[in-house]
C-alpha cells in the first residue's frame, strides 16, 4: 500500500531512564499521536495516510516492537494505535545502542508492506550511543538507502536509577552523529516533563512533506 510516509518511532528504554521518565516519555507519545495538529498533518498529505511502527530500544541486543506497522489516517486509527501502546508495559534493559536501533529500523522499513517517497527514523533518548558499532556508520548506511534520521534528545536533570549524573552532551551527540538524510533535524527537550509538546512539534514537522510545502509557496 502506498502511504505518504513510513515513520519509525524509536523510544529509549535503557537503564538510564527511570520509571517516572519512562512514563512521561510514553505518555508524550500517547498524547502527541492524537493531537489535532498531528492528525491534521497526516490528513494533509496527497494520500492522507502514513504508516508507523513503535519500537523500544536499549543495548545492541534489545530492540522491541511494541506496535507493528499500522496505518494512521485520522483520529480513530491514531486512537486505536495509542490504545495498543497504552496496554503494553514499558521495558527496560542495560546500555544504549542507537546504532543497533538504526540498523533494526532500516530492516523494518525495507521489509514492510508499504511504500512511500519518504522514510524517517524518529529517535528519542537521554544518552549517547554506548554499545554496538559506531552510530555514524549506522546513520550513513541508513542515509545511503534514502532514509532520514531525526532526533529528539532529552536533557534531564534527574540522576539515573543507579545514581549517576545525567548525560549533558546528548544534544550535541545527536547533532553530530545521529541525525542525517534529507531534511533531517533535531529538537532538544529540556526535562522529560516537556517531552509531549516537543514531540507534537516534531511530528508535525516531519509528517509534512518539505517539498510539497515549498511548492505551495
Amino acid at each position: 500500500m502506498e502511504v505518504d510516509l513510513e515513520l519509525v518511532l524509536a523510544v529509549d528504554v535503557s537503564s538510564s531512564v527511570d520509571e517516572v521518565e519512562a512514563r512521561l516519555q510514553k505518555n508524550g507519545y500517547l498524547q502527541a499521536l492524537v493531537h489535532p495538529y498531528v492528525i491534521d498533518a497526516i490528513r494533509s498529505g496527497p494520500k492522507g495516510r502514513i504508516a508507523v511502527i513503535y519500537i523500544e530500544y536499549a543495548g545492541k541486543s534489545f530492540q522491541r516492537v511494541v506496535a507493528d506497522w499500522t496505518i494512521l489516517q485520522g483520529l480513530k486509527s491514531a486512537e486505536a494505535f495509542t490504545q495498543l501502546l497504552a496496554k503494553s508495559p514499558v521495558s527496560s534493559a542495560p546500555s544504549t545502542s542507537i546504532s543497533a536501533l538504526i540498523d533494526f529500523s532500516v530492516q523494518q522499513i525495507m521489509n514492510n508492506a508499504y511504500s512511500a517517497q519518504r522514510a524517517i527514523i524518529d529517535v528519542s533518548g537521554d544518552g549517547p550511543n554506548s554499545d554496538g558499532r559506531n552510530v555514524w556508520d549506522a546513520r550513513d548506511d541508513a542515509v545511503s538507502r534514502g532514509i532520514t534520521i531525526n532526533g529528539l534528545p532529552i536533557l534531564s536533570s534527574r540522576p539515573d536509577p543507579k545514581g549517576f549524573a545525567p548525560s549533558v552532551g546528548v544534544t550535541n551527540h545527536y547533532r553530530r552523529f545521529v541525525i542525517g538524510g534529507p531534511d533531517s533535524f533535531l529538537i532538544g527537550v529540556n526535562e522529560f516533563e516537556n517531552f509531549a509538546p516537543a514531540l507534537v512539534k516534531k511530528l508535525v514537522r516531519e509528517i509534512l512533506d518539505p517539498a510539497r510545502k515549498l511548492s505551495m509557496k
Side-chain angles (χ1 to χ4, degrees), residues 27-156:
N27 286 343
Y29 281 96
L30 298 180
Q31 295 170 33
L33 286 166
V34 296
H35 193 282
Y37 290 170
V38 174
I39 300 302
D40 287 347
I42 293 170
R43 288 173 170 165
S44 72
K47 296 176 177 59
R49 58 181 179 262
I50 66 172
V52 298
I53 184 174
Y54 186 100
I55 300 169
E56 293 177 342
Y57 75 95
K60 65 181 180 180
S61 61
F62 189 94
Q63 301 89 36
R64 174 176 174 247
V65 175
V66 177
D68 212 342
W69 288 106
T70 301
I71 292 290
L72 301 189
Q73 53 189 354
L75 181 59
K76 186 176 180 179
S77 55
E79 287 177 339
F81 188 75
T82 58
Q83 287 168 9
L84 183 61
L85 297 181
K87 292 177 182 178
S88 177
V90 177
S91 304
S92 183
S95 302
T96 302
S97 184
I98 302 173
S99 57
L101 175 275
I102 292 172
D103 292 339
F104 181 80
S105 298
V106 168
Q107 292 305 308
Q108 302 308 305
I109 292 170
M110 301 302 294
N111 295 295
N112 66 30
Y114 305 102
S115 62
Q117 294 296 313
R118 298 184 300 132
I120 296 174
I121 302 171
D122 183 335
V123 185
S124 67
D126 73 339
N129 195 76
S130 63
D131 194 21
R133 68 171 177 148
N134 292 331
V135 66
W136 52 88
D137 289 335
R139 174 200 61 197
D140 291 348
D141 285 349
V143 170
S144 72
R145 294 175 177 266
I147 297 170
T148 293
I149 303 170
N150 294 331
L152 199 66
I154 307 164
L155 183 62
S156 173

Side-chain angles (χ1 to χ4, degrees), residues 120-204:
I120 296 174
I121 302 171
D122 183 335
V123 185
S124 67
D126 73 339
N129 195 76
S130 63
D131 194 21
R133 68 171 177 148
N134 292 331
V135 66
W136 52 88
D137 289 335
R139 174 200 61 197
D140 291 348
D141 285 349
V143 170
S144 72
R145 294 175 177 266
I147 297 170
T148 293
I149 303 170
N150 294 331
L152 199 66
I154 307 164
L155 183 62
S156 173
S157 61
R158 296 165 57 89
D160 74 17
K162 294 182 180 180
F164 295 110
S167 174
V168 296
V170 61
T171 300
N172 190 49
H173 181 80
Y174 270 61
R175 181 178 292 111
R176 293 183 61 193
F177 303 124
V178 177
I179 68 170
D183 303 299
S184 63
F185 68 95
L186 64 78
I187 296 178
V189 182
N190 188 20
E191 305 296 349
F192 279 87
E193 288 79 0
N194 300 315
F195 185 79
L199 181 58
V200 169
K201 182 179 179 181
K202 183 169 185 288
L203 287 172
V204 169

